[in-house]
Each structure stands twice: as C-alpha cells, then as structure tokens.
Amino acid sequence: MTRADLPPTPPLPQPQPQTWYRSPPPRRTALLPPAAAALVGGAAGYLAHALAANARAYCDAGWEQGGRFELTFEMLFLVPGCALLALLLALSTRRLPLLLRAVPVLAVLAGVVLWYFAVKGTLAGYPGDSGRCGPDNVPPWWPGWLPA
C-alpha cells in the first residue's frame, strides 16, 4: 500500500483565540433589540401625550382649541423624540446582557412620561371648569404617590 492509497487526513482544527469580552452577536439579530427599543420609545411618547390629553380633558383645564392644538403639535416631536432617545440608549447599552439592556431604556422612558404629564398634563393654577379636579388640576384617577 502506498501513500496515494491512503485517505487524506483532515486539517487540524485551529484553536479559537481566548478573549476577555464576548463577541458581538451576528449582524442579522444585532438590529432587533434597538428596533424594539425604538418602537417602545414611540409608544411611550404616545402614552405621555395621551395621559396629558386625558388629564386636561377630565379637568377641563387647557382643553380649548389652543390647548388641543398645542398637545397635537408637540406630539409630532414627542413620539419620534422618545423613539430616538430609546434607540440611542439601546445602542449605548448593547454590550450588556439582553435582559439588562431594557432596564435603562424603560427607566428613562418612564421618567420622560412622568415629566411630560407633570409639566403639560396638570396645568397648576389654570382655571378648570369641570369642578372634578382641585386647583392643581391633577385628576383624581392619578395615583397620589406619583409626582404630578
């Protein structure tokens, strides 16, 4: 038997270099969490607008034509702004594990929703006509332990 009669030997596997960090995920799935964060951000922006509009309508404070136009005009910037903010946060935390990435995004978006409701939804001192809210124009359905 000669050497030509033997089956070829497979190449030896090359050892993988050891690194102290994880390699980034494949390109196909790398864009899914930031896109989901942008969708959640857009939904949070719309939620902030809806909370402010419902509070103004319930207390009848700032719900005349100019107040409704103001909220609608701000929504054009609020929804994309929250989506962009969530996208930037998701991209800046992409080295964290998947479940921990959502924590800073959701915390910042919750803060934005609360801030927008406190600033635009409750117009303190504005004369409300419905008689269902106090002078601070905070609706009774808003939890007292949350700032307004």
Side-chain angles (χ1 to χ4, degrees):
M1 184 181 264
T2 64
R3 187 166 178 93
D5 295 334
L6 293 174
T9 58
L12 294 174
Q14 297 295 323
Q16 295 294 326
Q18 296 293 326
T19 58
W20 56 273
Y21 62 90
R22 291 183 308 169
S23 62
R27 196 71 170 148
R28 287 172 293 167
T29 61
L31 295 178
L32 185 61
L39 285 175
V40 169
Y46 183 75
L47 173 69
H49 165 75
L51 272 175
N54 285 334
R56 282 188 179 191
Y58 188 84
C59 296
D60 198 22
W63 195 240
E64 69 279 347
Q65 201 68 1
R68 284 191 295 237
F69 175 76
E70 172 196 4
L71 283 179
T72 304
F73 184 73
E74 287 175 356
M75 186 179 69
L76 296 175
F77 299 102
L78 182 66
V79 173
C82 285
L84 181 64
L85 177 67
L87 177 67
L88 291 176
L89 281 170
L91 289 176
S92 66
T93 60
R94 66 178 177 234
R95 293 284 183 195
L96 292 175
L98 184 61
L99 292 177
L100 287 179
R101 281 186 229 173
V103 173
V105 173
L106 292 176
V108 168
L109 288 176
V112 167
V113 169
L114 288 175
W115 173 82
Y116 190 79
F117 176 78
V119 171
K120 293 294 184 179
T122 58
L123 302 174
Y126 195 92
D129 295 333
S130 70
R132 295 186 276 185
C133 301
D136 56 355
N137 288 323
V138 177
W141 47 261
W142 185 253
W145 53 273
L146 284 174

